[in-house]
């Protein structure tokens, strides 16, 4: 191979071609990475399933914390976010009566994770009841994308997932109803796929009530490496100023 002169400098055509090929390869890889990161980042706003769109505005900064328990639980939620940001894998459970702020805190953790670092993590907030309703809707609507496989696949690959209001899908709290085989099948598939991924769960039910509703095996999977944020004294924020 003969050297050629280019701008008074001798270069090797073969070496130059290899450098250009490597540069193009790196540029293409970066484009692919950016596209993947963008798709993962946008999943939060495009593929989450919420029953209350106002939850998107929830943050640690605007969380109303006046009572000691509220302040302590807000700090626990911040700690959970910091641990997730550091790469730890565990499940966070937020439990207590309705209206005490479990979902806003779960959303606050998730929103911060979605904005962390290179914004390349898939973060999803899923209302369990609404997800199951959408799946049942496909039984009579073959055109709907919200099939059982769609949700199982989507929730299985999410880097960070919130399962909101677990147990509400069976009806009013305290009814003692058991989950259907359909519900168990969907939740088992998701729980099994997320054994090594962090999941944040909110529920109005106690561990005993969840075991009766589902079964001990499923609850055990969902409670693997649990970080508990429990509301026992906080009153319902949604009705605090309403009198009859």
């Amino acid at each position: 191979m003969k050297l050629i002169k280019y701008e008074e400098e001798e270069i090797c055509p073969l070496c130059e071609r290899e450098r250009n090929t490597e540069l193009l390869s790196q540029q293409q890889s970066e484009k692919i990475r950016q596209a993947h990161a963008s798709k993962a980042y946008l999943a939060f706003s495009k593929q989450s399933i919420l029953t209350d769109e106002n939850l998107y505005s929830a943050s640690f900064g605007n969380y109303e914390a006046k009572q000691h328990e509220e302040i302590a639980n807000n700090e626990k939620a911040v700690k959970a976010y910091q641990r997730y940001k550091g790469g730890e894998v565990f499940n966070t459970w937020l439990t207590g009566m309705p209206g005490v702020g479990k979902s806003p805190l779960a959303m606050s953790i998730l929103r911060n994770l979605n904005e962390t670092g290179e914004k390349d993590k898939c973060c999803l907030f899923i209302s369990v009841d609404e997800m199951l309703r959408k799946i049942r809707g496909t039984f009579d609507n073959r055109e709907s994308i919200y099939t059982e496989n769609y949700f199982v696949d989507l929730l299985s690959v999410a880097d960070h997932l919130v399962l909101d209001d677990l147990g509400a899908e069976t009806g009013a709290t305290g009814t003692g109803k058991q989950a259907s085989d359909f519900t168990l099948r969907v939740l088992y598939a998701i729980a099994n796929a997320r054994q090594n991924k962090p999941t944040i769960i909110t529920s109005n039910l106690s561990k005993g009530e969840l075991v009766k509703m589902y079964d001990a095996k499923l609850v055990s999977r969902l409670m693997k490496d649990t970080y508990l944020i429990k509301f026992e004294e906080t009153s319902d924020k949604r009705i605090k100023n309403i009198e009859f």
Side-chain angles (χ1 to χ4, degrees), residues 10-36:
E10 288 187 334
I11 63 172
C12 168
L14 181 60
C15 297
E16 192 67 16
R17 185 178 69 182
E18 289 178 348
R19 278 195 293 269
N20 288 336
T21 300
E22 177 64 21
L23 178 60
L24 287 172
S25 177
Q26 291 175 357
Q27 291 174 340
Q28 189 63 26
S29 295
E30 178 60 17
K31 286 182 180 179
I32 293 172
R33 188 200 68 77
Q34 291 177 355
H36 174 76

Side-chain angles (χ1 to χ4, degrees), residues 172-192:
T173 302
T175 59
K177 289 184 180 179
Q178 289 187 320
S180 66
D181 290 341
F182 157 71
T183 298
L184 283 173
R185 184 177 69 244
V186 174
L187 293 178
Y188 256 117
I190 295 168
N192 287 336

Side-chain angles (χ1 to χ4, degrees), residues 45-90:
S45 58
K46 291 184 176 297
Q47 294 178 289
S48 290
I49 304 293
L50 283 69
T51 54
D52 181 4
E53 295 290 324
N54 290 325
L55 272 176
Y56 277 122
S57 63
S59 69
F60 295 128
N62 62 28
Y63 179 74
E64 185 181 343
K66 296 180 180 179
Q67 301 177 33
H68 173 74
E69 183 179 69
E70 293 172 315
I71 295 171
N73 284 347
N74 191 29
E75 291 174 351
K76 286 181 180 179
V78 172
K79 181 65 176 179
Y81 156 67
Q82 292 171 338
R83 290 177 62 190
Y84 285 136
K85 182 181 176 182
E88 292 187 52
V89 177
F90 60 95

Side-chain angles (χ1 to χ4, degrees), residues 37-196:
S38 177
K39 181 179 179 181
Y41 172 75
L42 291 174
F44 172 70
S45 58
K46 291 184 176 297
Q47 294 178 289
S48 290
I49 304 293
L50 283 69
T51 54
D52 181 4
E53 295 290 324
N54 290 325
L55 272 176
Y56 277 122
S57 63
S59 69
F60 295 128
N62 62 28
Y63 179 74
E64 185 181 343
K66 296 180 180 179
Q67 301 177 33
H68 173 74
E69 183 179 69
E70 293 172 315
I71 295 171
N73 284 347
N74 191 29
E75 291 174 351
K76 286 181 180 179
V78 172
K79 181 65 176 179
Y81 156 67
Q82 292 171 338
R83 290 177 62 190
Y84 285 136
K85 182 181 176 182
E88 292 187 52
V89 177
F90 60 95
N91 292 337
T92 297
W93 276 78
L94 295 101
T95 66
M97 294 300 291
V100 295
K102 301 184 297 296
S103 298
L105 278 185
M107 176 60 85
S108 299
I109 297 171
L110 194 70
R111 279 190 62 214
N112 277 274
L113 289 169
N114 198 56
E115 299 295 330
T116 293
E118 297 184 1
K119 300 181 181 179
D120 58 351
K121 301 297 183 184
C122 176
C123 299
L124 294 172
F125 190 104
I126 302 292
S127 163
V128 175
D129 184 35
E130 186 66 9
M131 173 186 69
L132 294 171
R133 187 187 69 79
K134 285 183 177 295
I135 294 175
R136 285 192 292 269
T138 65
F139 299 164
D140 298 319
N141 180 11
R142 299 291 182 177
E143 301 299 318
S144 174
I145 66 168
Y146 296 118
T147 63
E148 182 175 333
N149 286 339
Y150 167 84
F151 278 111
V152 171
D153 291 344
L154 180 65
L155 274 57
S156 296
V157 301
D159 295 291
H160 296 97
L161 171 68
V162 170
L163 292 176
D164 189 46
D165 218 0
L166 182 69
E169 72 279 358
T170 62
T173 302
T175 59
K177 289 184 180 179
Q178 289 187 320
S180 66
D181 290 341
F182 157 71
T183 298
L184 283 173
R185 184 177 69 244
V186 174
L187 293 178
Y188 256 117
I190 295 168
N192 287 336
R194 298 195 61 80
Q195 286 298 288
N196 297 305

